[in-house]
């Protein structure tokens, strides 16, 4: 593997959990719900995926467990914010606290055990193509899934009737409700989807990125995923670009350090964050684009009037 | 209402036992404060293993308690104070950032013994400090790296540039240079003690840059797994990480706090505890090399010989001639670095290709 | 069976007082089940969580130390959130405020004077406000979303502090360990009363809460914040500028976060070190909403949240539950409090399936709920 190819591969690995978690949150926010508990759902996904893989011996079972754990955990958020219209921002943060605690309890007996790695699935014929072959076609299930989800969500949101309805709810839940669109039910489904995706992101951490379980292993990636949704102005393709940009700068600064450039490492570590702000500033100069895409009902409480 | 208050007061007196300042006959309560979760399988995990070792060794004679994930800063003093008030006879505060808080609480509780890890302040007679000479192990693994590397370069994943880490980098390179004078070290700082993902990213970056041996001064097993995946060798840190890379780990520098904790708690039991400044290493068993594995017999024999000579005190890794990074002389031929100088080490030796923040 | 909500014509006074107690009751029940399942005595566990920290003078002091930064930051955030500005970077403003406030005690460490403390406080507020001005200006001028910029700037601030205390500001007598000099006596925020650590940070917090409460209730500015927060259009008709409000809200909350930062550093820590906050800036977001964005409510919420931290530690030591359990319990408490606040604005109806079918959607466009 050449250096360039190797770097690309690392970037993909670093970006995949961000893509997975962010694409779920994008759908949630498009439906007008702000779930700040991504970090909590992610860490739950990570520990349950690890436990599932460990107990069953199969990483695929682990992935499924992670997905279900994330979804189940998001249901708690859904019940509070959708059924009981509790404040979304605070509930999301509380979900993160809860997730960090609960995952630690579940994971206690799995500390210090090497995990089961999710196997690489080569796409026959394509994985041998020079440079991009391995990077795009010699990856694991979760990588393919992350791309498929971005494509699927883009198609769903902008090409299907159900996607249109979901966006309509996010833009104005009052009118959508008046037109007979089931606001609460749609939002429940969106929240569940978001939870499942965050769970998959967690599974990526504990089955691919570093196949092991340690407490707090998500180390703030849920927050980055949240920021990426905003970065993408709620558009799936831009989200993919944002995640890879973030991954590329994070990996790039490590390479720059290994080459021995004399800049304090703290400043190098700042680069991914600064780069994301800078690029967002540039793309949000076009005022119309951002305003059109931001779901107007985001984080607003909704109760159907009768 | 009055009834409730009375009931509460009664419950309070039931649970809130007055803190016994003196160890009861033949019984001691030892308390530990950790900076990370005990599930980190690194720094805090190893300290907790030490606590469990003491429990196992002393049985009924000791009662232990711990607080994990106590942030450095304002929370530390509260946590230590709480321990002091809950009847602990000896309190171990296991992170550098607890230094001032430990001394502040110690002043208020002269009858309780305080043990602070990795610090230098002992402002009161009831405060002792302890640390380990991890650099001794680093010298050995530097030698092994130079023997095992085909490219003549190793990757070093650093956490933060504090004296302990700088000692480690220097000792590693000196060890390597003793075998291969042109040995190269590539250093990546991840600005974290514990972030498995980022440590793994750093490991990948270093391997992609052409190193074929990895060593880390961060706490997670992330780099070990990456090394195993990519089929290169690596050294573990803090705990024995062989399970994470059975064919990868050459050895690991293991922190073994058990013997020290046992000795100190026993001293409280015996009434012989005194203020000390402990900086122990291989000889005392505070630093332990995990099994030398995945290497030819002669490399193993050499590593064992170096270990033995450091252990016996015959050889000190920082023995001159050693030049500083800029080529100026640090230690003349045969001179040995003073402990005080090592503990505040803030420069690299010749051959390191990195810059320390000044 | 399904749960349905019915909006009350106006907020219920009764339930705005009662709901925290209902939440507490539910938490006690859930907590009892949790501790029983772990094989712990639930009465004992709950006692240590909620009562024990309140029984001793020293722990009341500690409660004040823990609550002060949370309240200060949350009060500032309430103005942001009320005016619809999503500042989630208070953690960064806290750090930068602490850095700016520490210039005098670190760089001019020999200067002892009564002027030192006031100058530190002022420069910390300026520092926090200046750092908050970045996302504010980006939003007001260039339309950059403040959620992303304020969050990303948190990481930048933390790394900047890390670099400072390891590099230029490192204590020359500190054996090259990453910390600045200890502040001299005139740069230490005094304790309120002798015999405990509670410092003037709590006083600042309470003054800030009172002043903010007054501003929101009785001044034109407060009205402007409320109007622009409800609807930007309505605000424009009233002649208020949304762009200027963005700047005001961020500067206000940044200044308070900065003040919290320097109070923590000079009152509780005594020097700068690589990490000075266990996430106060994020926890304060919860505090702001638990306090229903009302400055006086925030004082109560900050104290309650601080209590759960102290109680968590007491329970860990006294009955040997782990820190994970403490956090789980804290999360559960927050959930119940948030859920019960629903009762203030809504009636809860539980309907049987047959009845649910008859609830046909009303065709009237829905008024903006808030």
């Amino acid at each position: 593997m050449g250096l360039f190819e190797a770097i690309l591969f690392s970037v993909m690995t670093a970006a995949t959990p961000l893509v997975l978690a962010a694409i779920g949150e994008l759908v949630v926010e498009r439906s007008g719900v702000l779930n700040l508990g991504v970090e909590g759902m992610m860490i739950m996904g990570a520990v349950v995926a690890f436990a599932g893989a460990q107990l069953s011996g199969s990483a695929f079972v682990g992935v499924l467990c992670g997905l279900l754990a994330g979804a189940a955990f998001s249901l708690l958020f859904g019940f509070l914010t959708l059924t009981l219209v509790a404040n979304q921002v605070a509930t999301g943060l509380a979900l993160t606290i809860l997730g960090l605690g609960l995952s630690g309890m579940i994971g206690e007996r799995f500390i210090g055990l090497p995990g089961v790695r999710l196997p690489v699935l080569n796409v026959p014929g394509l994985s041998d193509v020079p440079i991009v072959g391995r990077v795009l076609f010699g990856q694991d299930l979760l990588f393919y899934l992350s791309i498929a989800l971005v494509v699927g969500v883009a198609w769903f949101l902008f090409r299907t009737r159900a996607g249109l309805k979901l966006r309509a709810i996010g833009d104005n839940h009052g009118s959508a409700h008046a037109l007979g669109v089931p606001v609460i039910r749609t939002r429940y489904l969106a929240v569940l989807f978001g939870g499942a995706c965050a769970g998959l992101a967690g599974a990526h951490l504990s089955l691919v990125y570093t196949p092991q379980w340690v407490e707090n292993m998500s180390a703030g990636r849920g927050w980055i995923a949240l920021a990426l949704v905003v970065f993408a102005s709620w558009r799936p393709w831009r989200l993919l670009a944002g995640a890879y940009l973030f991954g590329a700068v994070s990996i790039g600064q490590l390479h720059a350090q290994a080459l021995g450039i004399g800049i304090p490492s703290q400043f190098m570590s700042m680069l991914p964050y600064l780069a994301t702000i800078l690029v967002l500033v540039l793309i949000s100069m076009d005022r119309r684009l951002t305003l059109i895409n931001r779901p107007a009902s985001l984080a607003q409480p909704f109760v159907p009037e009768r | 209402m009055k009834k409730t208050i009375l009931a509460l007061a009664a419950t309070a007196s039931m649970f809130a036992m007055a803190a016994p300042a003196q160890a009861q006959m033949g019984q001691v309560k030892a308390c530990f404060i950790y900076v990370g979760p005990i599930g980190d399988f690194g720094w805090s995990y190893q300290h907790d293993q030490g606590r469990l070792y003491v429990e196992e060794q002393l049985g009924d004679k000791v009662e232990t308690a711990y607080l994990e994930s106590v942030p450095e800063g304002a929370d530390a003093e509260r946590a230590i104070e709480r321990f002091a008030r809950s009847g602990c006879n000896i309190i171990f505060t296991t992170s550098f950032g607890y230094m001032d808080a430990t001394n502040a609480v110690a002043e208020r509780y002269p009858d309780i013994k305080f043990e602070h890890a990795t610090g230098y302040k002992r402002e009161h007679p009831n405060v002792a400090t302890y640390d380990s000479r991890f650099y001794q192990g680093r010298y050995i693994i530097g030698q092994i790296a130079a023997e095992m590397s085909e490219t003549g370069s190793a990757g070093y994943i650093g956490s933060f540039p504090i004296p302990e880490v700088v000692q480690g980098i220097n000792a590693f390179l000196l060890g390597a240079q003793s075998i291969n004078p042109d040995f190269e070290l590539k250093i990546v700082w991840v600005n974290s003690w514990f972030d498995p993902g980022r440590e793994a990213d750093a490991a990948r970056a270093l391997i992609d840059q052409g190193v074929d041996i990895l060593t880390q001064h961060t706490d997670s097993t992330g780099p070990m797994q990456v090394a195993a995946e990519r089929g290169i060798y690596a050294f573990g840190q803090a705990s024995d990480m062989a399970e994470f890379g059975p064919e990868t780990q050459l050895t690991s520098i293991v922190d073994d706090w058990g013997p020290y904790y046992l000795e100190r708690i026993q001293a409280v039991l015996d009434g012989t505890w005194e203020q000390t400044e402990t900086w122990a290493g291989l000889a005392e068993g505070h630093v332990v090399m995990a099994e030398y594995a995945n290497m030819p017999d002669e490399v193993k024999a050499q590593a064992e010989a170096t270990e033995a000579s450091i252990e016996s005190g015959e050889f000190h890794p920082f023995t001159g001639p050693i030049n500083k990074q800029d080529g100026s002389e640090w230690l003349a031929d045969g001179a040995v670095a003073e402990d005080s100088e090592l503990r505040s080490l803030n420069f690299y030796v010749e051959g390191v290709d990195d810059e320390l923040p000044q | 069976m399904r749960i349905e909500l019915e909006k009350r014509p106006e907020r219920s006074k009764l339930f705005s007082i009662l709901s925290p107690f209902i939440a507490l009751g539910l938490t006690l029940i859930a907590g009892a089940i949790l501790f029983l399942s772990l094989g712990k005595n639930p009465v004992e566990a709950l006692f240590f969580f909620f009562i024990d920290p309140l029984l001793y003078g020293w722990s009341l002091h500690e409660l004040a130390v823990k609550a002060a930064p949370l309240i200060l930051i949350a009060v500032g955030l309430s103005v942001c959130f009320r005016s619809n500005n999503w500042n989630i970077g208070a953690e960064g403003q806290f750090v930068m405020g602490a850095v700016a406030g520490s210039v005098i005690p670190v760089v001019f460490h020999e200067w002892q004077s009564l002027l030192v403390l006031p100058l530190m406080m002022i420069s910390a507020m300026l520092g926090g406000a200046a750092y908050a001005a970045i996302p504010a200006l980006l939003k007001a001028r260039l339309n950059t979303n403040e959620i992303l910029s304020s969050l990303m700037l948190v990481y930048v601030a933390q790394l900047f502090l890390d670099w400072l205390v390891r590099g230029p500001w490192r204590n020359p007598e500190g054996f090259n360990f990453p910390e600045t000099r200890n502040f001299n006596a005139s740069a230490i925020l005094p304790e309120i009363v002798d015999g405990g650590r509670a410092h003037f940070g709590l006083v600042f917090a309470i003054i800030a809460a009172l002043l903010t409460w007054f501003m929101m209730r009785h001044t034109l500015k407060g009205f402007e914040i409320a109007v622009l927060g409800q609807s930007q259009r309505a605000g424009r008709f009233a002649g208020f500028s949304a762009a200027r409000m963005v700047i005001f809200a961020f500067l206000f909350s940044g200044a308070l976060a900065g003040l919290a930062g320097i109070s923590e550093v000079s009152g509780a820590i005594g020097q700068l070190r690589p990490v000075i906050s266990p996430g106060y800036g994020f926890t304060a977001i919860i505090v702001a909403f638990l306090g229903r964005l009302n400055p006086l409510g925030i004082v109560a919420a900050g104290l309650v949240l601080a209590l759960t931290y102290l109680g968590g530690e007491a329970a860990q030591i006294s009955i040997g539950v782990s820190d994970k359990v403490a956090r789980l319990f804290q999360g559960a408490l927050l959930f119940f409090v948030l859920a019960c606040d629903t009762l203030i604005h809504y009636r809860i109806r539980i309907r049987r399936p047959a009845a649910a079918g008859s609830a046909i959607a009303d065709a009237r466009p829905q008024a903006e709920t808030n």
Side-chain angles (χ1 to χ4, degrees), chain A residues 12-277:
Chain A
M12 297 291 178
T13 310
T16 300
L18 301 177
V19 174
L20 283 168
I23 195 70
E25 178 69 13
L26 186 141
V27 173
V28 178
E29 292 190 16
R30 274 286 186 178
S31 81
V33 178
L34 182 63
N35 183 355
L36 292 186
V38 180
E39 181 86 1
M41 301 187 296
M42 204 168 177
I43 196 80
M44 283 300 290
V47 71
V48 177
F50 188 88
Q54 205 61 225
L55 298 176
S56 70
S58 156
F60 292 104
V61 176
V63 170
L64 189 68
C65 292
L67 180 149
L68 292 175
F73 207 53
S74 72
L75 210 53
L76 205 57
F77 174 84
F79 178 71
L80 253 84
T81 58
L82 301 177
T83 302
L84 296 180
V85 283
N87 179 281
Q88 295 177 5
V89 175
T91 309
L93 289 165
L95 193 73
T96 295
I97 296 185
L98 198 71
L100 290 173
L102 191 57
S103 62
M105 280 171 73
I106 297 174
E108 240 157 320
R109 50 181 288 217
F110 298 106
I111 290 159
L113 297 178
V116 186
R117 197 185 191 288
L118 196 62
V120 168
L121 304 172
N122 284 316
V123 178
L126 290 175
S127 57
D128 299 328
V129 177
I131 303 186
V132 294
R134 242 206 88 195
V135 174
L136 294 180
F137 303 107
Q139 293 264 14
D140 51 74
L141 173 72
L142 284 171
F143 172 79
Y144 300 129
L145 210 54
S146 73
I147 304 292
L149 279 168
V150 172
V151 177
V153 165
W155 172 78
F156 168 79
L157 283 179
F158 299 105
R159 294 276 181 276
T160 68
R161 220 180 135 72
L164 179 69
K165 284 182 183 167
L166 183 132
R167 284 189 293 135
I169 292 170
D171 283 333
N172 188 337
H173 47 216
S175 317
H177 175 68
L179 291 171
V181 182
V183 176
I184 304 285
R185 196 198 310 159
T186 311
R187 284 187 170 167
Y188 256 109
L189 292 174
V191 165
L192 271 177
F193 177 78
C197 287
L200 286 177
H204 185 276
L205 293 181
S206 66
L207 299 175
V208 178
Y209 212 131
T210 47
Q212 54 176 301
W213 163 251
V214 277
E215 272 179 54
N216 302 351
M217 71 183 296
S218 49
R221 285 183 181 76
W223 288 97
I224 304 297
L226 273 168
L228 285 174
V229 178
V230 177
F231 176 90
S233 0
W234 296 271
R235 289 195 298 188
W237 290 106
R238 208 180 257 184
L239 185 147
L240 198 64
Y244 289 149
L245 169 80
F246 190 87
V249 183
S250 318
I251 300 296
Q253 66 95 358
L254 294 172
H255 277 273
Q257 281 197 49
L259 286 172
I261 74 167
I263 296 174
S265 63
Q266 291 93 343
F267 291 106
M268 301 297 287
S269 297
M270 285 178 194
L271 284 178
Y273 310 111
L274 291 174
T276 326
I277 297 179

